[in-house]
């Protein structure tokens, strides 16, 4: 996993609440068996008109949005389907972090698994950042080491992230490798509970 | 020991390692796998040279992208076929039992687990699918995970999880005639909103829940995710045990008696505390139907499409956008909105009872000429059982299509999709924009309500229609 320490970049705002993962990556693009190849289809039905042309009204298609690496989003972002294709598509499109008042639980976990930092800030702060993001030269910094979001004109907020997730993201750790080091405990648990465990009968 | 909730008992029993301030390492009893969210996980396992730790606790089926038409034909979509073939190869290579397209045990993953008795009280169950919450109906802790976590479970049989909060959703009173499990859960989501239970595991309690069959409880727990919950649970009772007894993968003989003894002890202790409590009066719940583009945008069939102008400020923009997408005017009575399609299916409402309840409305009637209607049973066993009691003939005589099982038009990954602007009465779980096909307009409701919409051609209060 790509580590996340400090990132500075442009932000684009998509301030709608309850954006579900069906919008982030529609189902017709879930048939691939690889982890790549999803970026072109990010927000497909919103980005593209039925004839395939770009919809100029959609937030990510506006002139200032090109090259943005931070997504400013509404509450309960990523709700619905557990598809990890959603963070895969966001990362491949170029996003390194999402700032929103709240995230759906599965989506939040999926982001952390892919080095895509989910940052929780109050709705008023996200709205303020969206205003600042309208200036083309504006850049936002997200510092996971100090757990702060800041710009050069005085915006500075702390954000929460549990210690475990933070360490994983900072180091880009392979969570499976870490868990496999618990082999003795896992095996002991299996022995302790073996008599309770339903087995493959017949 | 302090009184504990059902959730706490199941959680505590699965802790492999838990340190203060850190997420727990939990052991997984049952890992369900399907074709869409697993190929990258198996690939990751292969690339890292890791083994599948417990193939005997891993079960696979194909459901999301499979055609529901003629099963003797090859899958026409080459990309979908490649995904199904990948699961076959992975199941073979790693020794995982696969319920393939030609099996009588094939079906939607959340329908076949319970059907075979794989799903049992007190278990920790995961699957790369958000509707894994369905299995909570048995008093299991069951939740959806992403593909990276699927890979983690394949490799370690464990999962790293932060302990969620608890929420009790307590129903007072009993629902009236024509009001089903689907109406109860839609009413809950309408009350607390689509993110209202985020970070929580819900336990559903009260007489109305006790009176539900296991199938009804599955419908309720299934849609917990639509309220943002991590999982939904119902304490196991005689209804649960009666359902499980004799199922192929359930314990048998002396093992059964011991298991039931353990299961009885799972119910929340008197005085156990929940972080939040939500109370609803089941007696006042009317049949529900969604009008918008998330399951929280829902109302009683006797009501009207809301006027965004009179909604709370924070809901106006979303409601305006939803009505525009749905092609609905504010204050339109919900009853009478014409339907183009009817879909009876999905892990929410495609079990035998659901088909019976829809068939009771359809019997002796015909599908309106303006409507194309289909029934997609939740599993091939549900299909066979329905055929054994003649439900297929009731549906087909009325003009419904009678399909093979799969997720089908719930998410439209196969050929079963809505066209742009088509309006559908659906028994599934999500009315998101484009969910059933780009530009498609989904109204969620119970099987009886969907059947009523099919025969009248529009949204209608099933209580005024009557069933035979």
């Amino acid at each position: 996993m790509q580590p996340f320490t400090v990132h500075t970049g442009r932000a684009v705002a998509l301030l709608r609440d309850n954006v579900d993962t069906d919008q982030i990556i529609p189902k017709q693009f879930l048939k691939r068996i690889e982890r790549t190849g999803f970026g072109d289809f990010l927000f497909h039905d919103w980005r593209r008109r039925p004839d395939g042309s770009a919809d100029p009204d959609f937030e990510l298609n506006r002139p200032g949005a090109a090259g943005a690496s931070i997504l400013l989003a509404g509450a309960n972002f990523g709700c619905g389907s557990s598809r990890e294709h959603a963070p895969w598509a966001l990362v491949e499109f170029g996003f390194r972090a999402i700032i929103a008042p709240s995230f759906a639980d599965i989506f939040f976990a999926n982001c952390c698994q892919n080095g895509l930092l989910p940052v929780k800030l109050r709705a008023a702060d996200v709205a303020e950042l969206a205003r600042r993001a309208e200036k083309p030269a504006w850049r936002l910094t997200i510092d996971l080491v100090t757990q702060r979001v800041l710009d050069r004109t005085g915006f500075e907020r702390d954000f929460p992230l549990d210690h475990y997730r933070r360490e994983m993201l900072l180091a880009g750790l392979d969570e499976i490798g870490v868990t496999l080091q618990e082999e003795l405990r896992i095996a002991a648990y299996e022995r302790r509970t073996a008599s309770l465990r339903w087995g493959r009968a017949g | 020991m302090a009184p504990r909730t059902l959730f706490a008992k199941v959680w505590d029993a699965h802790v492999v390692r838990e340190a203060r301030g850190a997420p727990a390492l939990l052991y997984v009893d049952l890992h369900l796998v399907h074709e869409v969210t697993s190929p990258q996980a198996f690939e990751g396992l292969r690339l890292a040279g890791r083994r599948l730790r417990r193939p005997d606790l891993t079960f696979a089926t194909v459901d999301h992208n499979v055609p529901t038409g003629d099963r003797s034909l090859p899958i026409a979509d080459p990309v979908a076929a490649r995904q199904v073939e990948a699961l076959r190869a992975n199941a073979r290579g790693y020794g995982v039992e696969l319920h393939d397209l030609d099996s009588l045990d094939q079906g939607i993953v959340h329908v076949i687990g319970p059907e075979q008795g794989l799903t049992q009280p007190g278990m920790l169950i995961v699957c790369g699918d958000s509707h894994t919450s369905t299995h909570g109906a048995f008093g299991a802790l069951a939740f959806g995970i992403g593909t990276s976590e699927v890979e983690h479970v394949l490799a370690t049989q464990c999962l790293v999880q932060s302990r969620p909060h608890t929420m009790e959703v307590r129903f007072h009173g009993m629902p009236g005639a024509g009001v089903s499990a689907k109406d109860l859960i839609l009413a809950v989501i309408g009350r607390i909103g689509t993110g209202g239970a985020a970070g929580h595991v819900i336990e559903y309690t009260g007489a109305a829940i006790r009176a539900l069959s296991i199938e009804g409880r599955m419908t309720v727990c299934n849609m917990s995710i639509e309220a943002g919950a991590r999982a939904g649970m119902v304490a196991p009772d005689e209804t649960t045990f009666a359902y499980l007894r004799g199922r192929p993968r359930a314990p048998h003989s002396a093992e059964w008696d011991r298991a039931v003894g353990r299961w009885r002890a799972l119910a929340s202790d008197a005085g156990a505390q929940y972080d939040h409590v939500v109370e609803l009066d089941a007696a006042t719940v009317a049949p529900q139907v969604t009008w918008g583009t998330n399951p929280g945008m829902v109302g009683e069939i006797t009501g009207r499409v809301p006027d965004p102008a009179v909604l709370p400020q924070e809901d106006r923009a979303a409601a305006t956008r939803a009505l525009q997408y749905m092609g609905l005017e504010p204050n339109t009575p919900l009853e009478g909105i014409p339907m183009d399609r009817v879909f009876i299916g999905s892990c929410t409402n495609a079990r035998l009872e659901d088909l019976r309840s829809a068939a009771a409305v359809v019997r002796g009637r015909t599908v309106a000429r303006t409507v194309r209607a289909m029934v997609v049973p939740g599993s091939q066993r549900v299909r066979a059982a329905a055929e054994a009691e003649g439900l297929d003939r009731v549906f087909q005589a009325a003009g419904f299509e009678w399909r093979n099982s799969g997720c089908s038009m719930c998410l439209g990954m196969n050929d079963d999709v809505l066209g742009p602007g088509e309006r559908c009465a659906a028994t599934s779980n999500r009315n998101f924009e484009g969910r059933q096909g780009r530009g498609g307009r989904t109204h969620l409701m119970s099987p009886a309500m969907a059947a009523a919409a099919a025969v009248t051609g529009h949204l209608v209060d099933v209580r005024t229609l009557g069933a035979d």
Side-chain angles (χ1 to χ4, degrees), chain B residues 16-269:
Chain B
V16 172
R17 182 207 63 206
E18 193 167 36
R20 186 182 290 274
L25 187 64
L26 300 176
Y27 197 83
V28 173
D29 296 310
L30 176 63
H31 185 193
L32 302 167
V33 170
H34 66 81
E35 77 278 16
V36 174
T37 58
S38 69
Q40 296 88 353
F42 280 108
E43 179 68 6
L45 207 61
R46 195 158 30 242
L47 290 173
R50 289 171 175 147
R51 68 185 175 122
L52 199 175
R53 185 181 177 89
R54 293 297 298 263
D56 58 324
L57 305 182
T58 312
F59 288 82
T61 193
V62 286
D63 56 4
H64 277 63
N65 80 23
V66 302
T68 56
D70 186 346
R71 283 276 150 96
S72 66
L73 300 173
I75 299 175
D77 175 352
V79 194
R82 183 164 160 258
Q83 200 168 48
V84 168
E85 198 43 59
L87 182 58
R88 286 175 183 149
N90 287 326
R92 268 196 311 274
Y94 286 96
V96 173
E97 187 173 331
L98 169 68
H99 302 301
D100 207 342
L101 271 186
D102 55 359
S103 166
L104 181 58
D105 291 327
Q106 184 270 341
I108 304 175
V109 66
H110 309 308
V111 176
I112 66 173
E115 186 175 82
Q116 296 186 23
L118 287 166
T119 301
Q120 294 168 22
M123 278 186 166
L124 197 150
I125 300 173
V126 299
C127 174
D129 189 284
S130 61
H131 291 110
T132 308
S133 58
T134 311
H135 306 265
F138 291 80
L141 175 59
F143 50 87
I145 57 178
T147 296
S148 293
E149 291 174 318
V150 169
E151 184 180 337
H152 192 281
V153 177
L154 291 175
T156 69
Q157 201 57 31
C158 293
L159 198 59
V160 180
Q161 286 287 301
S162 295
R163 192 180 181 111
H165 301 291
T166 54
M167 177 184 285
E168 181 187 16
V169 172
R170 188 189 308 158
F171 285 97
H172 299 285
M174 295 295 283
V179 177
S180 70
K182 182 66 158 286
D183 302 304
L184 296 180
I185 187 61
L186 282 171
V188 171
I189 301 165
R191 165 83 79 83
I192 68 177
T194 193
H200 289 70
V201 168
I202 298 175
E203 182 180 346
Y204 300 95
T205 66
I209 296 297
R210 286 290 134 225
L212 287 177
S213 68
I214 273 290
E215 299 196 357
R217 295 176 191 180
M218 282 194 255
T219 300
V220 170
C221 288
N222 172 277
M223 289 192 75
S224 302
I225 181 72
E226 311 318 332
R230 202 72 189 86
M233 301 177 85
V234 174
D237 59 11
E238 296 308 320
T239 302
T240 321
F241 310 145
Y243 176 94
L244 278 171
R245 189 175 201 123
R247 302 240 161 216
R249 304 306 176 95
H252 290 276
S253 51
E255 186 70 23
W256 169 262
D257 295 333
R258 279 195 294 275
V260 171
R262 289 196 303 274
W263 296 343
R264 281 189 204 286
L266 288 169
S268 292
D269 299 326

Side-chain angles (χ1 to χ4, degrees), chain A residues 16 18 22-23 27 30-31 34-35 45-46 48 80 84 105 110 174 179 182-183 189-190 197, chain B residues 13 17 27 29 40 50 53 77 82-83 147-148 151-152 199 321 411 413 433-435 438:
Chain A
R16 305 178 190 179
N18 301 311
D22 273 84
Q23 308 315 317
K27 76 270 175 184
L30 303 185
K31 295 173 190 168
E34 298 84 10
R35 280 176 190 256
D45 291 1
W46 285 352
R48 297 187 186 283
E84 197 163 317
D105 295 331
N110 285 342
D174 166 19
T179 299
E182 301 283 352
E183 172 57 31
Y189 179 91
E190 285 178 328
R197 192 171 312 289
Chain B
R17 182 207 63 206
Y27 197 83
D29 296 310
Q40 296 88 353
R50 289 171 175 147
R53 185 181 177 89
D77 175 352
R82 183 164 160 258
Q83 200 168 48
T147 296
S148 293
E151 184 180 337
H152 192 281
R321 191 184 154 81
L411 84 166
M413 270 193 78
E433 287 182 34
R435 170 83 177 178
R438 185 170 187 166

Side-chain angles (χ1 to χ4, degrees), chain A residues 82-176:
Chain A
S82 63
R83 59 189 71 167
E84 197 163 317
H85 312 66
W88 293 338
L90 286 158
V91 168
E92 201 172 315
F93 191 79
F95 287 113
R96 296 286 342 261
I98 306 168
I99 302 179
S102 59
F103 297 88
D105 295 331
I106 304 176
F107 179 79
F108 187 91
N110 285 342
C111 286
C112 292
Q113 294 283 354
N114 288 279
L116 177 63
L117 182 66
V119 175
K120 285 185 205 170
L121 290 185
R122 293 186 313 131
D125 290 332
V126 181
E128 172 58 27
L129 291 176
R131 275 190 290 279
R132 295 181 184 218
E134 285 169 13
K135 292 204 185 85
W138 183 74
R139 297 287 183 277
L140 184 63
T141 295
I142 301 173
D143 186 337
L144 181 57
V145 180
T146 59
Q147 287 184 238
R148 280 186 313 172
V149 174
L150 60 161
D151 70 3
R152 295 174 135 196
T153 53
F155 185 96
E156 186 172 333
R157 295 286 185 279
D158 294 337
F159 66 90
L161 189 69
D162 74 64
H163 178 75
Y164 173 85
R165 296 269 190 219
R166 180 173 170 274
E167 294 296 307
M168 282 285 174
L169 282 158
L170 284 174
L173 279 180
D174 166 19
E175 189 179 54
I176 298 175

